[in-house]
Amino acid sequence: PAGLPDAGRVRVVAAGGSGDDLIADLAAQLPGQRLVVTADRELRGRCIAAGAAVTGPRWLLGML
């Protein structure tokens, strides 16, 4: 979709507790463009509030 950052790097991080909390924290802390792929509405809102671009899994599946 228009407005999403170009794919360049993927970061995989293991969550010791709540995966959603870790994703939202990383979306807020990491510099530069961030893209979060999720179907979860609450997580989507948290990541957008943190300044990350968000898209759904259908977009990612279309990229594969």
CSV table of all heavy atoms in Angstrom, one decimal:
chain,number,residue,atom,x,y,z
A,1,PRO,N,0.8,-1.2,0.0
A,1,PRO,CA,0.0,0.0,0.0
A,1,PRO,C,0.9,1.3,0.0
A,1,PRO,O,2.0,1.3,0.5
A,1,PRO,CB,-0.8,-0.1,1.3
A,1,PRO,CG,-0.8,-1.6,1.6
A,1,PRO,CD,0.5,-2.1,1.1
A,2,ALA,N,0.3,2.3,-0.6
A,2,ALA,CA,1.1,3.6,-0.6
A,2,ALA,C,1.4,4.1,0.8
A,2,ALA,O,0.6,3.9,1.7
A,2,ALA,CB,0.2,4.6,-1.4
A,3,GLY,N,2.5,4.7,0.9
A,3,GLY,CA,2.9,5.3,2.2
A,3,GLY,C,3.6,4.4,3.2
A,3,GLY,O,4.1,4.8,4.2
A,4,LEU,N,3.8,3.1,2.8
A,4,LEU,CA,4.5,2.2,3.7
A,4,LEU,C,6.0,2.2,3.4
A,4,LEU,O,6.4,2.5,2.2
A,4,LEU,CB,4.0,0.7,3.5
A,4,LEU,CG,2.6,0.5,4.0
A,4,LEU,CD1,2.2,-1.0,3.7
A,4,LEU,CD2,2.4,0.7,5.5
A,5,PRO,N,6.8,2.1,4.4
A,5,PRO,CA,8.2,2.1,4.1
A,5,PRO,C,8.7,1.0,3.2
A,5,PRO,O,8.1,-0.1,3.2
A,5,PRO,CB,8.9,2.0,5.5
A,5,PRO,CG,7.8,1.7,6.5
A,5,PRO,CD,6.5,1.8,5.7
A,6,ASP,N,9.8,1.2,2.5
A,6,ASP,CA,10.4,0.2,1.7
A,6,ASP,C,10.9,-0.9,2.5
A,6,ASP,O,11.5,-0.7,3.6
A,6,ASP,CB,11.5,0.7,0.8
A,6,ASP,CG,11.0,1.7,-0.2
A,6,ASP,OD1,9.9,1.6,-0.7
A,6,ASP,OD2,11.8,2.6,-0.6
A,7,ALA,N,10.7,-2.2,2.1
A,7,ALA,CA,11.3,-3.3,2.8
A,7,ALA,C,12.8,-3.3,2.6
A,7,ALA,O,13.3,-3.3,1.5
A,7,ALA,CB,10.6,-4.6,2.4
A,8,GLY,N,13.5,-3.4,3.7
A,8,GLY,CA,15.0,-3.4,3.6
A,8,GLY,C,15.5,-4.4,4.6
A,8,GLY,O,16.4,-5.2,4.2
A,9,ARG,N,15.0,-4.4,5.8
A,9,ARG,CA,15.5,-5.3,6.8
A,9,ARG,C,14.4,-5.8,7.6
A,9,ARG,O,13.4,-5.1,7.8
A,9,ARG,CB,16.5,-4.6,7.7
A,9,ARG,CG,17.8,-4.1,7.0
A,9,ARG,CD,18.8,-3.5,8.0
A,9,ARG,NE,18.2,-3.0,9.2
A,9,ARG,CZ,18.8,-2.2,10.0
A,9,ARG,NH1,20.0,-1.8,9.7
A,9,ARG,NH2,18.3,-1.8,11.1
A,10,VAL,N,14.5,-7.0,8.1
A,10,VAL,CA,13.5,-7.6,9.0
A,10,VAL,C,14.2,-7.9,10.3
A,10,VAL,O,15.3,-8.4,10.3
A,10,VAL,CB,12.9,-8.9,8.4
A,10,VAL,CG1,12.0,-9.5,9.4
A,10,VAL,CG2,12.1,-8.6,7.1
A,11,ARG,N,13.6,-7.5,11.4
A,11,ARG,CA,14.1,-7.8,12.7
A,11,ARG,C,13.2,-8.8,13.4
A,11,ARG,O,12.0,-8.6,13.5
A,11,ARG,CB,14.3,-6.5,13.5
A,11,ARG,CG,14.9,-6.7,14.9
A,11,ARG,CD,15.1,-5.4,15.6
A,11,ARG,NE,15.8,-5.6,16.8
A,11,ARG,CZ,16.1,-4.7,17.7
A,11,ARG,NH1,15.8,-3.5,17.4
A,11,ARG,NH2,16.7,-5.0,18.8
A,12,VAL,N,13.8,-9.9,13.9
A,12,VAL,CA,13.1,-10.9,14.7
A,12,VAL,C,13.6,-10.8,16.1
A,12,VAL,O,14.8,-10.9,16.3
A,12,VAL,CB,13.3,-12.3,14.1
A,12,VAL,CG1,12.6,-13.3,14.9
A,12,VAL,CG2,12.8,-12.3,12.6
A,13,VAL,N,12.7,-10.7,17.0
A,13,VAL,CA,13.0,-10.6,18.5
A,13,VAL,C,12.1,-11.6,19.2
A,13,VAL,O,10.9,-11.5,19.0
A,13,VAL,CB,12.8,-9.2,19.0
A,13,VAL,CG1,13.2,-9.1,20.4
A,13,VAL,CG2,13.6,-8.2,18.2
A,14,ALA,N,12.7,-12.4,20.1
A,14,ALA,CA,11.9,-13.3,21.0
A,14,ALA,C,11.4,-12.5,22.2
A,14,ALA,O,12.1,-11.8,22.8
A,14,ALA,CB,12.8,-14.4,21.4
A,15,ALA,N,10.1,-12.6,22.4
A,15,ALA,CA,9.5,-11.9,23.6
A,15,ALA,C,9.5,-12.8,24.8
A,15,ALA,O,9.1,-14.0,24.7
A,15,ALA,CB,8.1,-11.6,23.2
A,16,GLY,N,10.0,-12.3,25.9
A,16,GLY,CA,10.1,-13.0,27.1
A,16,GLY,C,8.7,-13.1,27.8
A,16,GLY,O,8.5,-14.0,28.6
A,17,GLY,N,7.9,-12.1,27.5
A,17,GLY,CA,6.5,-12.1,28.1
A,17,GLY,C,5.5,-11.8,27.0
A,17,GLY,O,5.4,-12.6,26.1
A,18,SER,N,4.8,-10.7,27.1
A,18,SER,CA,3.8,-10.3,26.2
A,18,SER,C,4.4,-9.9,24.9
A,18,SER,O,5.1,-8.9,24.8
A,18,SER,CB,2.9,-9.2,26.7
A,18,SER,OG,2.1,-8.7,25.7
A,19,GLY,N,4.1,-10.6,23.8
A,19,GLY,CA,4.6,-10.2,22.5
A,19,GLY,C,4.1,-8.9,22.0
A,19,GLY,O,4.9,-8.1,21.5
A,20,ASP,N,2.8,-8.6,22.3
A,20,ASP,CA,2.3,-7.3,21.9
A,20,ASP,C,3.0,-6.2,22.6
A,20,ASP,O,3.2,-5.1,22.0
A,20,ASP,CB,0.8,-7.3,22.2
A,20,ASP,CG,0.0,-8.1,21.2
A,20,ASP,OD1,0.5,-8.7,20.3
A,20,ASP,OD2,-1.3,-8.1,21.3
A,21,ASP,N,3.3,-6.3,23.9
A,21,ASP,CA,4.0,-5.3,24.6
A,21,ASP,C,5.3,-5.0,24.0
A,21,ASP,O,5.8,-3.9,23.9
A,21,ASP,CB,4.1,-5.6,26.1
A,21,ASP,CG,2.8,-5.5,26.8
A,21,ASP,OD1,1.8,-4.9,26.3
A,21,ASP,OD2,2.7,-6.1,28.0
A,22,LEU,N,6.0,-6.1,23.7
A,22,LEU,CA,7.4,-5.9,23.1
A,22,LEU,C,7.3,-5.2,21.7
A,22,LEU,O,8.1,-4.3,21.5
A,22,LEU,CB,8.1,-7.3,23.0
A,22,LEU,CG,9.5,-7.2,22.3
A,22,LEU,CD1,10.4,-6.4,23.1
A,22,LEU,CD2,10.0,-8.6,22.2
A,23,ILE,N,6.4,-5.6,20.9
A,23,ILE,CA,6.2,-5.0,19.6
A,23,ILE,C,5.9,-3.5,19.7
A,23,ILE,O,6.5,-2.7,19.1
A,23,ILE,CB,5.1,-5.7,18.8
A,23,ILE,CG1,5.6,-7.1,18.4
A,23,ILE,CG2,4.8,-4.9,17.5
A,23,ILE,CD1,4.5,-8.0,17.9
A,24,ALA,N,5.0,-3.2,20.6
A,24,ALA,CA,4.6,-1.8,20.8
A,24,ALA,C,5.8,-1.0,21.4
A,24,ALA,O,6.1,0.2,20.9
A,24,ALA,CB,3.4,-1.6,21.7
A,25,ASP,N,6.6,-1.6,22.3
A,25,ASP,CA,7.8,-0.9,22.8
A,25,ASP,C,8.8,-0.7,21.7
A,25,ASP,O,9.4,0.4,21.6
A,25,ASP,CB,8.4,-1.7,24.0
A,25,ASP,CG,7.5,-1.7,25.2
A,25,ASP,OD1,6.6,-0.8,25.3
A,25,ASP,OD2,7.8,-2.5,26.1
A,26,LEU,N,9.1,-1.7,20.9
A,26,LEU,CA,10.0,-1.6,19.8
A,26,LEU,C,9.6,-0.5,18.8
A,26,LEU,O,10.4,0.2,18.3
A,26,LEU,CB,10.3,-2.9,19.2
A,26,LEU,CG,11.0,-3.9,20.0
A,26,LEU,CD1,11.0,-5.3,19.3
A,26,LEU,CD2,12.5,-3.5,20.2
A,27,ALA,N,8.3,-0.5,18.5
A,27,ALA,CA,7.8,0.5,17.6
A,27,ALA,C,8.0,1.9,18.1
A,27,ALA,O,8.3,2.8,17.3
A,27,ALA,CB,6.3,0.3,17.4
A,28,ALA,N,8.0,2.1,19.4
A,28,ALA,CA,8.2,3.4,20.0
A,28,ALA,C,9.7,3.7,20.1
A,28,ALA,O,10.1,4.9,20.0
A,28,ALA,CB,7.6,3.4,21.4
A,29,GLN,N,10.6,2.7,20.3
A,29,GLN,CA,12.0,3.0,20.7
A,29,GLN,C,12.9,3.0,19.5
A,29,GLN,O,13.9,3.7,19.5
A,29,GLN,CB,12.5,1.9,21.7
A,29,GLN,CG,11.8,2.0,23.0
A,29,GLN,CD,12.1,0.8,23.9
A,29,GLN,OE1,13.0,0.0,23.6
A,29,GLN,NE2,11.4,0.7,25.0
A,30,LEU,N,12.6,2.2,18.5
A,30,LEU,CA,13.5,2.0,17.3
A,30,LEU,C,13.5,3.3,16.5
A,30,LEU,O,12.4,3.9,16.2
A,30,LEU,CB,13.2,0.8,16.5
A,30,LEU,CG,13.4,-0.5,17.2
A,30,LEU,CD1,12.9,-1.7,16.3
A,30,LEU,CD2,14.9,-0.7,17.4
A,31,PRO,N,14.6,3.7,16.0
A,31,PRO,CA,14.7,4.9,15.1
A,31,PRO,C,14.3,4.6,13.7
A,31,PRO,O,14.3,3.4,13.3
A,31,PRO,CB,16.1,5.4,15.2
A,31,PRO,CG,16.9,4.1,15.4
A,31,PRO,CD,16.0,3.2,16.3
A,32,GLY,N,14.0,5.6,12.9
A,32,GLY,CA,13.7,5.4,11.5
A,32,GLY,C,12.4,4.8,11.2
A,32,GLY,O,11.5,4.9,12.0
A,33,GLN,N,12.2,4.3,10.0
A,33,GLN,CA,11.0,3.8,9.6
A,33,GLN,C,10.7,2.4,10.2
A,33,GLN,O,11.6,1.6,10.2
A,33,GLN,CB,10.9,3.6,8.0
A,33,GLN,CG,11.0,5.0,7.3
A,33,GLN,CD,10.9,4.8,5.8
A,33,GLN,OE1,11.4,3.8,5.3
A,33,GLN,NE2,10.3,5.7,5.2
A,34,ARG,N,9.5,2.2,10.7
A,34,ARG,CA,9.1,0.9,11.3
A,34,ARG,C,7.8,0.5,10.7
A,34,ARG,O,6.9,1.3,10.5
A,34,ARG,CB,9.0,1.1,12.8
A,34,ARG,CG,10.3,1.2,13.5
A,34,ARG,CD,10.3,2.3,14.5
A,34,ARG,NE,9.9,3.6,14.0
A,34,ARG,CZ,9.1,4.5,14.6
A,34,ARG,NH1,8.7,4.3,15.8
A,34,ARG,NH2,8.8,5.6,14.0
A,35,LEU,N,7.7,-0.8,10.3
A,35,LEU,CA,6.5,-1.3,9.8
A,35,LEU,C,6.1,-2.5,10.6
A,35,LEU,O,6.9,-3.5,10.7
A,35,LEU,CB,6.7,-1.8,8.3
A,35,LEU,CG,5.5,-2.5,7.7
A,35,LEU,CD1,4.3,-1.6,7.6
A,35,LEU,CD2,5.9,-3.0,6.3
A,36,VAL,N,4.9,-2.5,11.2
A,36,VAL,CA,4.4,-3.6,12.0
A,36,VAL,C,3.3,-4.3,11.2
A,36,VAL,O,2.4,-3.6,10.7
A,36,VAL,CB,3.9,-3.1,13.3
A,36,VAL,CG1,3.2,-4.2,14.1
A,36,VAL,CG2,5.0,-2.4,14.1
A,37,VAL,N,3.4,-5.6,11.0
A,37,VAL,CA,2.3,-6.4,10.4
A,37,VAL,C,1.5,-7.1,11.4
A,37,VAL,O,2.0,-7.9,12.2
A,37,VAL,CB,3.0,-7.4,9.4
A,37,VAL,CG1,1.9,-8.2,8.7
A,37,VAL,CG2,3.9,-6.7,8.4
A,38,THR,N,0.3,-6.7,11.5
A,38,THR,CA,-0.6,-7.3,12.5
A,38,THR,C,-2.1,-7.2,12.1
A,38,THR,O,-2.4,-6.3,11.4
A,38,THR,CB,-0.4,-6.7,13.9
A,38,THR,OG1,-1.3,-7.3,14.9
A,38,THR,CG2,-0.8,-5.2,13.9
A,39,ALA,N,-2.9,-8.2,12.6
A,39,ALA,CA,-4.3,-8.1,12.4
A,39,ALA,C,-5.0,-7.7,13.7
A,39,ALA,O,-6.2,-7.5,13.7
A,39,ALA,CB,-4.8,-9.5,11.9
A,40,ASP,N,-4.3,-7.5,14.7
A,40,ASP,CA,-4.8,-7.1,16.0
A,40,ASP,C,-5.1,-5.6,16.1
A,40,ASP,O,-4.2,-4.8,16.0
A,40,ASP,CB,-3.8,-7.5,17.1
A,40,ASP,CG,-4.3,-7.3,18.5
A,40,ASP,OD1,-4.3,-6.1,19.0
A,40,ASP,OD2,-4.7,-8.3,19.1
A,41,ARG,N,-6.3,-5.2,16.3
A,41,ARG,CA,-6.7,-3.8,16.3
A,41,ARG,C,-6.0,-3.0,17.5
A,41,ARG,O,-5.6,-1.9,17.2
A,41,ARG,CB,-8.2,-3.7,16.5
A,41,ARG,CG,-8.9,-3.9,15.2
A,41,ARG,CD,-10.4,-3.4,15.3
A,41,ARG,NE,-11.2,-4.4,14.7
A,41,ARG,CZ,-12.5,-4.4,14.7
A,41,ARG,NH1,-13.1,-3.4,15.3
A,41,ARG,NH2,-13.2,-5.3,14.1
A,42,GLU,N,-6.0,-3.6,18.6
A,42,GLU,CA,-5.4,-2.9,19.8
A,42,GLU,C,-3.9,-2.7,19.5
A,42,GLU,O,-3.4,-1.6,19.7
A,42,GLU,CB,-5.6,-3.7,21.1
A,42,GLU,CG,-5.0,-2.9,22.2
A,42,GLU,CD,-5.1,-3.7,23.6
A,42,GLU,OE1,-5.9,-4.6,23.7
A,42,GLU,OE2,-4.3,-3.3,24.5
A,43,LEU,N,-3.2,-3.7,19.0
A,43,LEU,CA,-1.8,-3.5,18.7
A,43,LEU,C,-1.6,-2.5,17.6
A,43,LEU,O,-0.6,-1.7,17.7
A,43,LEU,CB,-1.2,-4.9,18.4
A,43,LEU,CG,0.3,-4.9,18.1
A,43,LEU,CD1,1.2,-4.3,19.2
A,43,LEU,CD2,0.8,-6.3,17.7
A,44,ARG,N,-2.4,-2.6,16.6
A,44,ARG,CA,-2.4,-1.6,15.5
A,44,ARG,C,-2.4,-0.2,16.0
A,44,ARG,O,-1.6,0.6,15.7
A,44,ARG,CB,-3.5,-1.9,14.5
A,44,ARG,CG,-3.6,-0.9,13.4
A,44,ARG,CD,-4.8,-1.2,12.5
A,44,ARG,NE,-4.6,-2.4,11.7
A,44,ARG,CZ,-4.1,-2.5,10.5
A,44,ARG,NH1,-3.8,-1.3,9.9
A,44,ARG,NH2,-3.9,-3.6,9.9
A,45,GLY,N,-3.4,0.1,16.9
A,45,GLY,CA,-3.5,1.4,17.5
A,45,GLY,C,-2.3,1.8,18.3
A,45,GLY,O,-1.8,3.0,18.2
A,46,ARG,N,-1.7,0.9,19.1
A,46,ARG,CA,-0.6,1.2,19.9
A,46,ARG,C,0.7,1.5,19.0
A,46,ARG,O,1.4,2.4,19.3
A,46,ARG,CB,-0.2,0.0,20.8
A,46,ARG,CG,-1.3,-0.2,21.9
A,46,ARG,CD,-1.1,-1.4,22.7
A,46,ARG,NE,0.1,-1.4,23.4
A,46,ARG,CZ,0.6,-2.4,24.1
A,46,ARG,NH1,0.0,-3.6,24.1
A,46,ARG,NH2,1.7,-2.3,24.8
A,47,CYS,N,0.8,0.8,17.9
A,47,CYS,CA,2.0,1.0,17.1
A,47,CYS,C,1.8,2.3,16.3
A,47,CYS,O,2.8,3.0,16.1
A,47,CYS,CB,2.1,-0.2,16.1
A,47,CYS,SG,2.6,-1.7,17.0
A,48,ILE,N,0.6,2.6,15.8
A,48,ILE,CA,0.4,3.9,15.1
A,48,ILE,C,0.7,5.0,16.0
A,48,ILE,O,1.4,6.0,15.7
A,48,ILE,CB,-1.0,3.9,14.5
A,48,ILE,CG1,-1.1,3.0,13.4
A,48,ILE,CG2,-1.4,5.4,14.1
A,48,ILE,CD1,-2.6,2.8,12.9
A,49,ALA,N,0.3,4.9,17.3
A,49,ALA,CA,0.5,6.0,18.3
A,49,ALA,C,2.0,6.1,18.5
A,49,ALA,O,2.5,7.2,18.9
A,49,ALA,CB,-0.2,5.7,19.6
A,50,ALA,N,2.8,5.1,18.4
A,50,ALA,CA,4.2,5.1,18.6
A,50,ALA,C,5.0,5.6,17.3
A,50,ALA,O,6.2,5.7,17.3
A,50,ALA,CB,4.7,3.7,18.9
A,51,GLY,N,4.2,5.9,16.2
A,51,GLY,CA,4.8,6.4,15.1
A,51,GLY,C,5.2,5.4,14.0
A,51,GLY,O,5.9,5.7,13.0
A,52,ALA,N,4.8,4.2,14.2
A,52,ALA,CA,5.1,3.1,13.2
A,52,ALA,C,4.0,3.0,12.1
A,52,ALA,O,2.8,3.3,12.4
A,52,ALA,CB,5.2,1.8,13.9
A,53,ALA,N,4.4,2.6,10.9
A,53,ALA,CA,3.4,2.3,9.9
A,53,ALA,C,2.9,0.9,10.2
A,53,ALA,O,3.6,0.1,10.8
A,53,ALA,CB,4.1,2.3,8.5
A,54,VAL,N,1.6,0.6,9.9
A,54,VAL,CA,1.0,-0.7,10.2
A,54,VAL,C,0.3,-1.2,9.0
A,54,VAL,O,-0.4,-0.4,8.3
A,54,VAL,CB,0.1,-0.5,11.4
A,54,VAL,CG1,-0.6,-1.9,11.7
A,54,VAL,CG2,0.8,0.0,12.7
A,55,THR,N,0.4,-2.4,8.8
A,55,THR,CA,-0.4,-3.1,7.7
A,55,THR,C,-0.8,-4.5,8.2
A,55,THR,O,-0.4,-4.9,9.2
A,55,THR,CB,0.4,-3.2,6.4
A,55,THR,OG1,-0.4,-3.6,5.3
A,55,THR,CG2,1.6,-4.1,6.5
A,56,GLY,N,-1.7,-5.1,7.4
A,56,GLY,CA,-2.3,-6.3,7.8
A,56,GLY,C,-1.5,-7.5,7.2
A,56,GLY,O,-0.7,-7.3,6.2
A,57,PRO,N,-1.8,-8.7,7.6
A,57,PRO,CA,-1.1,-9.9,7.1
A,57,PRO,C,-1.4,-10.2,5.6
A,57,PRO,O,-0.6,-10.7,4.9
A,57,PRO,CB,-1.6,-11.0,8.0
A,57,PRO,CG,-2.8,-10.5,8.7
A,57,PRO,CD,-2.7,-9.0,8.7
A,58,ARG,N,-2.5,-9.7,5.1
A,58,ARG,CA,-2.8,-9.9,3.7
A,58,ARG,C,-1.8,-9.3,2.8
A,58,ARG,O,-1.4,-9.8,1.8
A,58,ARG,CB,-4.2,-9.4,3.4
A,58,ARG,CG,-4.8,-9.9,2.1
A,58,ARG,CD,-6.2,-9.5,1.9
A,58,ARG,NE,-7.0,-10.3,2.8
A,58,ARG,CZ,-8.3,-10.1,3.0
A,58,ARG,NH1,-8.9,-9.1,2.3
A,58,ARG,NH2,-9.0,-10.8,3.8
A,59,TRP,N,-1.3,-8.1,3.2
A,59,TRP,CA,-0.3,-7.4,2.5
A,59,TRP,C,1.0,-8.2,2.5
A,59,TRP,O,1.6,-8.4,1.4
A,59,TRP,CB,0.0,-6.0,3.1
A,59,TRP,CG,1.2,-5.3,2.5
A,59,TRP,CD1,1.2,-4.6,1.3
A,59,TRP,CD2,2.5,-5.3,3.0
A,59,TRP,NE1,2.5,-4.1,1.1
A,59,TRP,CE2,3.3,-4.6,2.1
A,59,TRP,CE3,3.1,-5.9,4.1
A,59,TRP,CZ2,4.7,-4.4,2.3
A,59,TRP,CZ3,4.4,-5.7,4.3
A,59,TRP,CH2,5.2,-4.9,3.4
A,60,LEU,N,1.4,-8.7,3.6
A,60,LEU,CA,2.6,-9.5,3.7
A,60,LEU,C,2.5,-10.7,2.9
A,60,LEU,O,3.5,-11.1,2.2
A,60,LEU,CB,2.9,-9.8,5.2
A,60,LEU,CG,4.2,-10.6,5.4
A,60,LEU,CD1,5.4,-9.9,4.9
A,60,LEU,CD2,4.3,-11.0,6.9
A,61,LEU,N,1.4,-11.4,2.9
A,61,LEU,CA,1.2,-12.6,2.2
A,61,LEU,C,1.3,-12.3,0.7
A,61,LEU,O,1.9,-13.1,-0.1
A,61,LEU,CB,-0.1,-13.3,2.5
A,61,LEU,CG,-0.2,-14.0,3.8
A,61,LEU,CD1,-1.6,-14.4,4.1
A,61,LEU,CD2,0.8,-15.1,4.0
A,62,GLY,N,0.8,-11.2,0.3
A,62,GLY,CA,0.9,-10.8,-1.1
A,62,GLY,C,2.4,-10.5,-1.6
A,62,GLY,O,2.7,-10.6,-2.7
A,63,MET,N,3.2,-10.2,-0.6
A,63,MET,CA,4.6,-9.8,-0.9
A,63,MET,C,5.5,-11.1,-1.0
A,63,MET,O,6.5,-11.1,-1.6
A,63,MET,CB,5.2,-9.0,0.2
A,63,MET,CG,4.6,-7.6,0.3
A,63,MET,SD,4.8,-6.6,-1.2
A,63,MET,CE,6.5,-6.2,-1.1
A,64,LEU,N,5.0,-12.2,-0.5
A,64,LEU,CA,5.7,-13.5,-0.5
A,64,LEU,C,5.7,-14.2,-1.8
A,64,LEU,O,4.8,-14.2,-2.6
A,64,LEU,CB,5.3,-14.4,0.6
A,64,LEU,CG,5.4,-13.9,2.0
A,64,LEU,CD1,4.8,-14.8,3.0
A,64,LEU,CD2,6.9,-13.6,2.3
